[in-house]
Amino acid sequence: MAQTSSFGGQRLLVVAFEGWNDAGDAASGAVETLEARLRLAKVWSIDPEPYYDFQFLRPEVGRAEDGRRVISWPGVSLYGPAGGITVDEASVTGPGAESLHVLRGGEPARAWKAFAAEVIDAVLSADVDGIVFLGSMLADVPHTRPLAVFATSENAEVRQALGLEQSMYAGPIGIMSVLMEAAEEAGLPTISLWVSVPHYAHALPSPKAELALLGKLEELTGLSIPRGEIEADAAEWEAAVNAMAQDDDDLAAYVRQLENARDTIDAPDASGEAIAREFEQYLRRRGTGNAGDEPWRSGGR
């Protein structure tokens, strides 16, 4: 196995799942961008029958090029280089780009342990050296500021080499956490990248969050990922959320609260006391609403 001193230059797998782990479609969007930029081909798919609830993730019907009726089933697929990669201005480049794999699909509904074991077997067969998991979560963050990406690892060598932290999260998990544990047990080092998506814009896909994930992935791996139209899409997304806030005084005030909190934390001369005071004020504002209320509807301005 390749050394874990750096994730750059190895045979990497980048993973994202639609659903619970994919606020604003940011994680799945980032993986789809990699797949398209590298023109990867499907090299493996899981049999969805044991793992998916087809009343929740329904199959879709379409037409093949010859006009035949074709049913597409939900599931998860592994994509990798097939017959070489054509490098042009739209391609991902950098160390390990020629061997990059991606795994994407919908989160399974049942038999997660068996699902994880089957996926890891396929990944090992592809001679992958390390895995980067991408996720996106709804959070109390302003859409007008850079969206933070939290990078963690459960692998001590990776944490030491890349200056990452171990996640201290405790609570409900998605399939990625199960896969991460199975990967580490199989000797595959892992990194987890989670981007924060403004929860008040949850109804819109978030290309700005996708950009943040791609940027962090570049930072940790040394890859160069062309953004293409994603940057323009991100600007349109921010303009759309701005317009939504302009039409809602309560939402506009709530966004200003989030901006003030973020700017206080990011200020170069911010003291621990100032950050703690701002955070306490923020918690008091949140505490004025009823459970289930939108924060900007709570009257805590």
Side-chain angles (χ1 to χ4, degrees), residues 167-178:
S167 173
M168 294 294 105
Y169 171 77
I173 59 172
I175 187 62
M176 290 202 302
S177 293
V178 178

Side-chain angles (χ1 to χ4, degrees), residues 24-89:
D25 300 340
S28 61
V31 164
E32 288 172 6
T33 293
L34 292 173
E35 179 193 331
R37 297 285 189 270
L38 288 167
R39 300 170 187 167
L40 302 180
K42 186 184 296 185
V43 297
W44 174 84
S45 292
I46 203 165
D47 177 6
E49 193 73 27
Y51 306 115
Y52 288 85
D53 181 346
F54 298 137
Q55 289 185 321
F56 179 70
L57 285 177
R58 290 186 176 272
E60 296 183 359
V61 67
R63 296 287 174 181
E65 291 183 0
D66 60 3
R68 290 181 299 109
R69 188 172 183 267
V70 178
I71 295 177
S72 298
W73 295 89
V76 67
S77 297
L78 178 66
Y79 298 82
I85 294 175
T86 302
V87 177
D88 56 30
E89 66 276 3

Side-chain angles (χ1 to χ4, degrees), residues 41-259:
K42 186 184 296 185
V43 297
W44 174 84
S45 292
I46 203 165
D47 177 6
E49 193 73 27
Y51 306 115
Y52 288 85
D53 181 346
F54 298 137
Q55 289 185 321
F56 179 70
L57 285 177
R58 290 186 176 272
E60 296 183 359
V61 67
R63 296 287 174 181
E65 291 183 0
D66 60 3
R68 290 181 299 109
R69 188 172 183 267
V70 178
I71 295 177
S72 298
W73 295 89
V76 67
S77 297
L78 178 66
Y79 298 82
I85 294 175
T86 302
V87 177
D88 56 30
E89 66 276 3
S91 296
V92 177
T93 57
E98 71 284 351
S99 59
L100 191 67
H101 288 63
V102 304
L103 181 82
R104 65 177 179 86
E107 187 174 52
R110 59 178 71 92
W112 281 14
K113 290 182 179 180
F115 177 90
E118 193 168 344
V119 169
I120 294 301
D121 282 346
V123 171
L124 290 171
S125 296
D127 293 325
V128 166
D129 294 320
I131 305 178
V132 182
F133 292 90
L134 304 185
S136 48
M137 56 186 174
L138 298 178
D140 297 307
V141 295
H143 70 281
T144 54
R145 301 294 187 267
L147 299 179
V149 177
F150 301 95
T152 61
S153 178
E154 293 303 305
N155 187 290
E157 293 180 38
V158 172
R159 291 199 302 272
Q160 182 177 7
L162 299 180
L164 304 182
E165 296 182 359
Q166 186 176 23
S167 173
M168 294 294 105
Y169 171 77
I173 59 172
I175 187 62
M176 290 202 302
S177 293
V178 178
L179 279 174
M180 193 180 310
E181 182 176 273
E184 290 286 349
E185 289 177 352
L188 291 171
T190 64
I191 291 174
S192 178
L193 305 181
W194 283 84
V195 64
S196 297
V197 178
H199 70 90
Y200 52 84
H202 64 87
L204 301 173
S206 180
K208 185 172 182 177
E210 180 184 342
L211 281 177
L213 282 173
L214 293 175
K216 194 66 175 181
L217 182 63
E218 284 183 327
E219 177 186 327
L220 293 176
T221 63
L223 293 170
S224 177
I225 306 169
R227 303 302 196 264
E229 69 283 356
I230 305 174
E231 291 181 337
D233 292 342
E236 291 180 5
W237 173 84
E238 189 163 339
V241 181
N242 283 336
M244 183 174 66
Q246 289 172 359
D247 292 336
D248 189 324
D249 292 341
D250 290 331
L251 175 55
Y254 176 65
V255 172
R256 287 194 295 272
Q257 291 176 358
L258 295 178
E259 290 173 337

